[in-house]
Amino acid sequence: MIQSKMNLRILDETEDLLLGYEYEEVYLVDKKKNESLYIGYLPGDPSFGLISKTGDWCLAGGIWCILWKKDTGALEINGPELCWVEKVRQVSHTRVELLIDPWSASGAIWQLDMDTMKKQKLRDYRLDGEYTEDYQW
């Protein structure tokens, strides 16, 4: 299988697709066809990945985000609002919420619409204290 040949670290996985990375390079693997698609480059490795519930798009990110859509391919989403994304969750067919580094002064939750690319800040979100991966948002 392609994943083992490439030694990918898994970001997200469905029955049909696997989103993973090797070093700073992100790939989407079609497990049934045993084919991989290069999605893009994320310096410092991605901190999250999400395959949509329908498999029509996927999103990976860290220092910036890369959106891949079945019909249009990959697109870098770069800008100060969506830098240093820590976590993501899908909230509708076309929308996600993105948690921006909660230990920084710009810690916040943003919403991104995959169809319109509209960004909307929902609220500030900051964590005080030592770094932990165990928190609810």
Side-chain angles (χ1 to χ4, degrees):
M1 179 176 184
I2 286 178
Q3 182 214 351
S4 61
K5 289 180 191 174
M6 296 175 70
N7 197 27
L8 294 179
R9 293 180 177 215
I10 298 171
L11 295 167
D12 196 16
E13 187 171 12
T14 66
E15 186 176 324
D16 299 330
L17 299 170
L18 181 142
L19 181 62
Y21 71 98
E22 185 173 33
Y23 301 106
E24 299 172 329
E25 310 289 340
V26 181
Y27 298 87
L28 183 64
V29 177
D30 184 319
K31 297 188 309 189
K32 291 189 177 186
K33 294 180 182 176
N34 202 28
E35 296 175 350
S36 71
L37 175 66
Y38 177 74
I39 301 296
Y41 170 75
L42 284 167
D45 293 337
S47 57
F48 76 88
L50 175 73
I51 299 170
S52 72
K53 293 174 183 162
T54 60
D56 293 337
W57 55 265
C58 68
L59 185 68
I63 191 170
W64 63 69
C65 297
I66 300 172
L67 170 65
W68 174 85
K69 294 166 89 173
K70 190 179 279 189
D71 297 333
T72 57
L75 169 72
E76 265 186 26
I77 303 169
N78 215 337
E81 311 89 11
L82 301 183
C83 285
W84 301 110
V85 178
E86 289 290 322
K87 296 188 178 192
V88 64
R89 60 184 171 209
Q90 187 172 353
V91 295
S92 78
H93 179 68
T94 62
R95 289 190 322 253
V96 295
E97 290 180 355
L98 301 159
L99 176 61
I100 308 305
D101 183 0
W103 292 275
S104 73
S106 57
I109 298 173
W110 283 76
Q111 188 171 87
L112 175 65
D113 187 294
M114 301 301 151
D115 285 343
T116 65
M117 299 309 294
K118 180 182 175 189
K119 304 173 214 172
Q120 177 185 2
K121 184 177 181 179
L122 299 178
R123 66 182 177 276
D124 290 333
Y125 186 91
R126 293 188 185 88
L127 295 174
D128 294 324
E130 293 183 28
Y131 176 82
T132 178
E133 292 187 15
D134 186 28
Y135 58 90
Q136 298 294 317
W137 64 291

